[in-house]
Amino acid sequence: MIKFFRKIRQYLLMENKTGKYFKYAIGEIILVVVGILIALSINNWNDNRKNNNLKQAYVKNLIFDLEKDLERLKRLQNQNTNYENGGIYILDFINNKLPKIDTLTLTESLVYCSYIPNFTITATTYNDIINGNNINLFQDVKLKRLLESHYTPNEWGALFNDRILKTAWYDYKDEIVKHLSPLLYRDIYEIAGGFSGNRLNGSADYKINWEQIKTNEYLKTQVEIITSYRISIRSRLNGKIKSAKSILEYFELNPE
């Protein structure tokens, strides 16, 4: 093609057709410019297609992560509520506020009072987006804020949780083992679904000294701290559940 254009230029010069030569040269320049613009458009289209495919893959993986997290967070919230109620039950027992004592419920409450919810969020996809400098694929400012709010670690919350773990939770566990048989902990993890009235029978099977528990003021203090702290846990879980739902609703209302 280049040789063809060169021959035309040479012919026009040899024939002294200068005017036509300049017109042809201008036309050739325009043709080259148009070719370059078309090539750039094709490259841009191809880049946009690749970016859009990458974004769609990210969105798909984000939705998968969020749905799994939402399922787990709801389960943790139910567990935390049950264990919060268990802590209240222990305190009612210690303070002689129970009209009737259910030793099975009380035993279960004593064991699970030290349960610690895992706040870890599945951030694999989001971290890939950030580490790959691909956050600009998402142009919507609202979506960026929703993602940042959900996935940015709560350093203060983590620090506070760590502080509680190193005090009340560990102190409670160290204290409660003085009153509960090691067999209880062995059996509770072997029984699927937790305690069962047919499998565990509180003090009858494990010789729990309820009076020692009731008069242990140090243990009572740890239960009070943990039970109060579960309100904070509930709030944090609700926040993560809400933010996960908001992102999923956004993707549903704004399909690409």
Side-chain angles (χ1 to χ4, degrees):
M1 183 65 71
I2 295 175
K3 291 181 178 180
F4 175 73
F5 288 141
R6 186 183 299 121
K7 287 181 179 179
I8 294 177
R9 289 197 302 272
Q10 291 174 349
Y11 170 77
L12 292 174
L13 288 172
M14 291 174 63
E15 296 293 326
N16 292 322
K17 297 180 179 180
T18 307
K20 289 185 178 181
Y21 174 81
F22 283 116
K23 290 180 181 179
Y24 173 80
I26 293 172
E28 186 176 333
I29 291 172
I30 293 173
L31 183 63
V32 172
V33 171
V34 170
I36 292 173
L37 292 176
I38 292 174
L40 289 175
S41 297
I42 293 174
N43 286 336
N44 288 337
W45 176 84
N46 193 44
D47 289 341
N48 290 335
R49 181 180 60 83
K50 290 180 179 179
N51 288 336
N52 187 62
N53 289 340
L54 180 59
K55 179 182 178 182
Q56 291 304 315
Y58 279 141
V59 169
K60 181 179 179 180
N61 290 334
L62 283 171
I63 291 174
F64 178 83
D65 291 347
L66 288 163
E67 287 177 341
K68 289 297 182 182
D69 275 341
L70 192 57
E71 180 182 335
R72 185 175 61 84
L73 289 168
K74 288 180 178 179
R75 185 172 64 253
L76 290 175
Q77 187 67 292
N78 289 333
Q79 290 175 340
N80 186 66
T81 299
N82 290 335
Y83 302 151
E84 180 182 347
N85 293 334
I88 295 172
Y89 194 83
I90 295 171
L91 294 174
D92 285 344
F93 165 73
I94 292 175
N95 294 321
N96 295 312
K97 292 183 178 180
L98 295 177
K100 182 180 180 180
I101 299 174
D102 183 341
T103 55
L104 184 62
T105 299
L106 190 55
T107 304
E108 182 177 14
S109 299
L110 289 168
V111 170
Y112 285 121
C113 186
S114 61
Y115 167 81
I116 305 166
N118 182 2
F119 282 93
T120 303
I121 299 297
T122 306
T124 305
T125 302
Y126 183 73
N127 288 337
D128 284 345
I129 294 172
I130 298 299
N131 295 334
N133 294 320
N134 290 316
I135 191 62
N136 289 329
L137 293 175
F138 301 87
Q139 296 296 321
D140 194 301
V141 175
K142 179 181 178 180
L143 176 59
K144 287 183 179 181
R145 289 176 178 172
L146 288 172
L147 291 171
E148 182 179 4
S149 175
H150 183 72
Y151 287 106
T152 301
N154 184 342
E155 295 181 0
W156 180 89
L159 181 63
F160 187 62
N161 187 67
D162 183 64
R163 184 66 176 173
I164 292 293
L165 289 179
K166 291 179 178 178
T167 55
W169 250 300
Y170 290 159
D171 288 349
Y172 171 83
K173 293 178 73 173
D174 290 341
E175 192 66 22
I176 198 62
V177 294
K178 299 176 183 178
H179 306 287
L180 300 181
S181 168
L183 296 177
L184 178 61
Y185 289 95
R186 181 203 66 184
D187 292 347
I188 189 61
Y189 290 114
E190 288 183 352
I191 298 174
F195 280 84
S196 169
N198 296 327
R199 298 290 300 277
L200 297 176
N201 190 27
S203 59
D205 287 343
Y206 300 102
K207 298 179 176 62
I208 300 173
N209 191 321
W210 299 113
E211 287 304 315
Q212 286 185 356
I213 291 176
K214 181 179 289 189
T215 57
N216 190 325
E217 289 296 325
Y218 182 75
L219 183 64
K220 176 185 176 182
T221 300
Q222 307 314 311
V223 176
E224 289 173 339
I225 294 174
I226 293 171
T227 303
S228 298
Y229 180 59
R230 290 199 184 279
I231 299 174
S232 173
I233 295 175
R234 187 198 318 153
S235 176
R236 291 171 60 194
L237 285 169
N238 280 337
K240 289 301 181 183
I241 290 172
K242 183 178 179 180
S243 61
K245 285 183 176 179
S246 296
I247 299 172
L248 288 172
E249 289 173 1
Y250 178 91
F251 284 138
E252 184 177 352
L253 295 174
N254 299 275
E256 295 294 334

